[in-house]
Amino acid sequence: MEKQSTGVSVPTNKPVGAYRTATNKLASALRILTIPLVIVFYLAVLVYNLHESDRRSLTLKQDSPAADAVHVSLKIVNLDVARGEITARMRIRLTGKLAKDEFTPAVNLRFLVNAFQGPQRFELERGERVSPLTVVFPIVGEPNLYPFDTHEAILAFAATKPGQEVKPPPSPPAASGKSLSLLERLKKVGETDPGEAPPDQVKLVGKTELASRTPVPVSFDLSASIPGFKFDGEVIKTGQEQVTGIQLKLRRANNVIVASLGIQLMMVLLALSMLAMVLFGTMKGKGSAIDPLYIAPVLIFGLPALRDTQPGVPPLGAFSDYLSYLWAEAIVAGCTIISIWTWIARHRSDNELPAPDPEPVDEEKTSREG
């Protein structure tokens, strides 16, 4: 017996099947492309950081035209932002009539530095070999702005020898046909003495020493390369011709900034993921409410360790902590408390449910079985 057609058209699944096929092909293509993209990105990062020290290092040099001069080679070997100090090793070389040989003075020299710790004056005795010097200079900055903190340091030094330098007498001032007004005379009185440094500049040599000793020209070459910091610098005027000054400006290196921001982002994402898990668990059954408790205690003690992995991070309380770490820790702690009390409330409500009524006993069936 043949089945008669009802005349109702049955919808086909061809468009849906074609869409799924195209989606699967696109997902497969993305998976195939992801692997080479990750490899290329990995190799690019390696190549970029292969010569990372060249981008953060500083080389500064200043030569003296004088034949008799003191040459100072400085190398920055240590930097402690928390203590506000920068350590440099200094090697002194002599030229001209000042030198018995390259490292032995032919006259008694005095070398002065604006050291933060240790001696500021070094006596270089005639005929004695000059040993390398280790000098600690002060730096100023705001470490709490990590990783965007900047710091500055001024390195000043001078050299003198016995004997007073003979200077030509100053020329008399040119006669002026008109007398100075009261305002002009007051301005002239308030002008800084040419032999003194302005208040905001380094004053390394006093008038008493200049009266009995002769300044010696000083040249220098400086190299600074500390992992984690980028250096910049220039020669500055110290207000005294006898004093050579270098101003160093430093900040965190680019790789430190990227690593710090990446760790902070990681902490925030972990905390937000924990919050989403707790919100999902509180809307589901009793078992879902207790699931976050397997992860939350680990994050409570893991986030401080993750925070300390930031390179050169200052003690707790920096600006970056208020940006990410403290919020992440507070979110995780709050999620833990919410999960515990949600489980307690649901477990208590289950215990307070009334006991089910006992099933009725069929007395006739019982008597027959008896």
Side-chain angles (χ1 to χ4, degrees):
M1 186 176 187
E2 297 182 0
K3 295 182 180 180
Q4 296 181 355
S5 174
T6 58
V8 180
S9 61
V10 180
T12 61
N13 294 329
K14 290 184 178 181
V16 177
Y19 175 76
R20 289 181 178 177
T21 302
T23 304
N24 293 334
K25 290 182 178 179
L26 179 60
S28 301
L30 291 177
R31 285 194 293 267
I32 294 174
L33 292 176
T34 299
I35 297 176
L37 287 177
V38 171
I39 295 175
V40 170
F41 179 75
Y42 175 76
L43 294 177
V45 171
L46 290 182
V47 172
Y48 179 78
N49 287 277
L50 188 62
H51 302 286
E52 181 267 341
S53 62
D54 297 338
R55 293 188 295 272
R56 58 174 169 80
S57 302
L58 171 67
T59 301
L60 200 61
K61 186 175 182 180
Q62 177 178 276
D63 295 324
S64 175
D68 304 335
V70 174
H71 184 81
V72 182
S73 297
L74 298 96
K75 183 177 181 181
I76 306 299
V77 295
N78 191 26
L79 174 63
D80 192 337
V81 172
R83 300 183 60 179
E85 58 185 35
I86 184 170
T87 305
R89 290 178 183 168
M90 309 176 70
R91 186 74 173 177
I92 298 177
R93 301 197 309 271
L94 308 169
T95 59
K97 297 179 180 179
L98 300 176
K100 190 175 181 179
D101 59 43
E102 188 178 6
F103 300 106
T104 306
V107 297
N108 294 329
L109 297 176
R110 180 175 294 170
F111 187 71
L112 306 171
V113 294
N114 64 326
F116 175 64
Q117 293 181 1
Q120 295 185 342
R121 184 175 69 180
F122 300 91
E123 300 292 343
L124 311 181
E125 301 293 339
R126 180 179 60 185
E128 294 185 4
R129 185 177 177 84
V130 180
S131 302
L133 308 177
T134 301
V135 183
V136 179
F137 296 94
I139 61 173
V140 294
E142 185 53 61
N144 281 340
L145 295 179
Y146 176 92
F148 301 104
D149 51 328
T150 58
H151 307 268
E152 292 187 3
I154 295 180
L155 285 58
F157 40 86
T160 61
K161 64 180 181 179
Q164 186 176 4
E165 185 178 7
V166 179
K167 296 182 180 180
S171 57
S176 178
K178 58 180 182 179
S179 61
L180 297 176
S181 64
L182 177 61
L183 181 59
E184 292 175 343
R185 288 198 300 269
L186 290 175
K187 289 182 178 179
K188 192 173 184 63
V189 171
E191 289 179 353
T192 306
D193 188 350
E196 296 184 355
D200 59 340
Q201 294 181 343
V202 178
K203 184 178 180 181
L204 195 58
V205 183
K207 287 185 176 181
T208 304
E209 186 161 0
L210 292 177
S212 59
R213 301 182 68 87
T214 302
V216 176
V218 178
S219 60
F220 71 89
D221 63 86
L222 178 143
S223 62
S225 179
I226 301 292
F229 288 91
K230 178 177 175 58
F231 287 85
D232 191 12
E234 60 180 353
V235 181
I236 60 172
K237 295 181 179 180
T238 59
Q240 293 176 307
E241 295 181 358
Q242 302 86 357
V243 179
T244 301
I246 305 172
Q247 184 178 26
L248 292 180
K249 297 180 180 180
L250 50 140
R251 63 171 179 84
R252 305 285 175 174
N254 294 336
N255 58 347
V256 172
I257 295 176
V258 172
S260 176
L261 294 179
I263 293 174
Q264 293 180 44
L265 180 62
M266 190 185 308
M267 291 189 291
V268 172
L269 292 179
L270 286 172
L272 294 179
S273 301
M274 188 72 220
L275 179 61
M277 185 176 182
V278 169
L279 293 178
F280 177 80
T282 54
M283 292 184 297
K284 298 297 181 179
K286 182 176 65 176
S288 300
I290 200 174
D291 287 341
L293 295 178
Y294 297 110
I295 304 174
V298 178
L299 285 180
I300 289 177
F301 296 99
L303 287 177
L306 185 59
R307 182 253 179 205
D308 291 339
T309 58
Q310 299 179 83
V313 63
L316 184 64
F319 176 75
S320 59
D321 294 329
Y322 294 97
L323 189 65
S324 59
Y325 166 71
L326 293 178
W327 289 105
E329 191 75 12
I331 291 173
V332 173
C335 291
T336 306
I337 295 172
I338 293 173
S339 297
I340 292 174
W341 284 101
T342 301
W343 181 85
I344 291 174
R346 291 180 178 175
H347 185 75
R348 181 180 178 183
S349 61
D350 290 344
N351 291 336
E352 292 178 352
L353 290 176
D357 296 333
E359 295 182 359
V361 180
D362 191 351
E363 296 180 357
E364 294 181 1
K365 182 177 180 182
T366 306
S367 61
R368 284 196 228 100
E369 291 178 355

